[in-house]
Amino acid sequence: MERLPLILLLASHLFVSGVFSTSIITIENKCSNTIWPVLFSWQSQVSTTGFTLKTGEARAIEAPSSWYGLISARTLCSNDSTGKFSCATGDCKSGEIECPGGYGWSPVTYIFFRIDDGGINSYVISLEFGYNLPVTVVPSSQTCLSSGCMVDLNKTCPNDLKIFTRGDLTACNSACRKSASQENCCTHYFKSKQTCKPTPYVENFDRACPFAYSYAYNDNNSTFTCTNTTNYVVTFCPSSIPNNTRFNLVGYYSN
Ligand SMILES: *[C@@H]1O[C@H](CO)[C@@H](O)[C@H](O)[C@H]1NC(C)=O
Ligand SMILES: *[C@@H]1O[C@H](CO)[C@@H](O)[C@H](O)[C@H]1NC(C)=O
Ligand SMILES: *[C@@H]1O[C@H](CO)[C@@H](O)[C@H](O)[C@H]1NC(C)=O
Ligand SMILES: *[C@@H]1O[C@H](CO)[C@@H](O)[C@H](O)[C@H]1NC(C)=O
Ligand SMILES: *[C@@H]1O[C@H](CO)[C@@H](O)[C@H](O)[C@H]1NC(C)=O
Ligand SMILES: *[C@@H]1O[C@H](CO)[C@@H](O)[C@H](O)[C@H]1NC(C)=O
């Protein structure tokens, strides 16, 4: 990326941005198998709560102003003999492709978005409940930062947290999800940076994905903010992780 003077980028950004505060979030499947994205909303709604996305397909979702929600994806889904839909990872327990109702917090990689929260968008890639798919988030504006997380599960996931489906390693559970002790989940006595030490799960994922959120008390800031007119491309199973992270934009990025 060319390092244009910031003022020029901001000027061109404002010029094209107009007054729209809706963001288009395009979800792309570059995995070698079909995935079933899940969209959970806390505030305002998007047009779907879950759908099928075949390999190579993409779907654009219009996220209205003040949308505040999560995106994850299910893998290895099928209908049983009674027609009930379920997935090996990321299942939303609805029994169907759509995921109305609550969010199950199963072990998945998820992205938390806040769209136009007073003129600001933000996103966080979170591994706090686990990891099932590699993902990147690429904002449309060049003044905003991309992020991503991709790991070799076999190497990064501690053995006792590995989740297998028919013999294949398909996800990693977080220590807190696997065993919800106060110590693993940083609650009660352990609710402070001094008392809550990172678990091997947190340490491994932090090393592999330093810009993802895995633990309440790590020093890395995994929240990426941008102006409310930014669109995003969320790619599951990207071929690589973008290199324009905080480190090489230090002193340049400002928002
Ligand atoms: C499951 O059943 C639904 C509804 O009939 C259908 O749309 C979907 O394609 C089926 N899914 C799979 C993975 O077979
Ligand atoms: C953000 O959205 C509001 C409308 O909700 C709009 O008035 C404002 O101009 C937008 N801000 C930017 C920086 O585009
Ligand atoms: C996973 O790692 C173990 C050793 O740590 C190795 O024996 C095994 O072959 C690996 N499996 C895959 C699929 O890479
Ligand atoms: C963020 O995490 C990486 C990898 O664990 C580490 O090298 C880096 O120092 C951390 N940054 C901060 C600000 O703590
Ligand atoms: C970290 O994220 C918070 C929450 O969005 C934000 O207010 C803060 O400015 C960020 N800090 C840095 C150093 O990026
Ligand atoms: C990422 O960017 C840094 C600094 O610009 C560069 O040194 C490094 O080689 C790049 N890494 C990759 C994988 O492209």
Side-chain angles (χ1 to χ4, degrees), residues 49-244:
T49 55
F51 59 93
T52 304
L53 202 57
K54 296 201 176 100
T55 302
E57 286 182 346
R59 178 153 163 190
I61 307 288
E62 200 172 299
S65 176
S66 83
W67 184 64
Y68 166 13
L70 305 177
I71 297 176
S72 62
R74 295 163 285 181
T75 63
L76 303 166
C77 304
S78 58
N79 293 310
D80 70 12
S81 56
T82 66
K84 187 167 166 286
F85 182 80
S86 71
C87 306
T89 75
D91 196 17
C92 71
K93 308 271 196 301
S94 66
E96 49 185 85
I97 293 173
E98 287 270 333
C99 290
Y103 195 81
W105 303 115
S106 60
V108 282
T109 318
Y110 75 82
I111 305 129
F112 170 67
F113 274 104
R114 286 189 96 128
I115 299 301
D116 190 12
D117 178 26
I120 298 281
N121 285 351
S122 63
Y123 75 86
V124 177
I125 294 176
S126 177
L127 312 172
E128 72 179 308
F129 296 109
Y131 174 101
N132 68 336
L133 285 173
V135 73
T136 54
V137 179
V138 178
S140 58
S141 166
Q142 294 203 331
T143 59
C144 306
L145 299 183
S146 303
S147 187
C149 176
M150 177 162 28
V151 306
D152 176 347
L153 269 181
N154 197 25
K155 292 198 185 110
T156 306
C157 189
N159 279 333
D160 58 330
L161 300 176
K162 284 177 172 153
I163 295 173
F164 293 91
T165 306
R166 290 186 289 275
D168 293 330
L169 179 56
T170 50
C172 189
N173 211 346
S174 74
C176 170
R177 286 284 315 185
K178 167 94 182 193
S179 161
S181 65
Q182 297 178 2
E183 189 168 6
N184 282 347
C185 299
C186 300
T187 56
H188 300 84
Y189 169 73
F190 298 97
K191 200 175 177 177
S192 81
K193 192 177 169 68
Q194 283 68 43
T195 53
C196 192
K197 297 300 165 211
T199 60
Y201 170 87
V202 168
E203 286 177 336
N204 287 2
F205 276 90
D206 244 16
R207 214 173 298 123
C209 297
F211 299 102
Y213 177 93
S214 54
Y215 162 65
Y217 302 108
N218 67 7
D219 295 323
N220 277 309
N221 199 336
S222 45
T223 303
F224 290 85
T225 58
C226 204
T227 55
N228 59 355
T229 51
T230 314
N231 296 325
Y232 295 90
V233 177
V234 171
T235 305
F236 287 101
C237 311
S239 48
S240 65
I241 297 295
N243 193 15
N244 55 333

